[in-house]
């Protein structure tokens, strides 16, 4: 699910604030690996 949110953030459909707190850390790590800043 974290990958789905990361993809949506990259595409501009969601923001990091819209990610549930339970998986926010995972999403941030995926985005960091992809060199995407939020």
């Amino acid at each position: 699910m974290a990958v789905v949110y990361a993809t949506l953030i990259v595409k501009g459909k969601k923001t990091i604030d819209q990610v549930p707190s339970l998986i926010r850390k995972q999403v941030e790590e995926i985005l960091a690996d992809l060199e995407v800043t939020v």
Side-chain angles (χ1 to χ4, degrees):
M1 196 65 189
V3 174
V4 173
Y5 273 100
T7 303
L8 291 171
I9 290 170
V10 169
K11 291 187 174 206
K13 301 289 184 185
K14 296 274 184 193
T15 65
I16 195 69
D17 295 329
Q18 294 173 308
V19 177
S21 59
L22 291 173
I23 61 170
R24 186 170 297 164
K25 179 76 172 154
Q26 287 177 303
V27 172
E28 289 172 346
E29 290 172 5
I30 292 168
L31 292 172
D33 289 343
L34 294 172
E35 299 178 356
V36 175
T37 57
V38 290

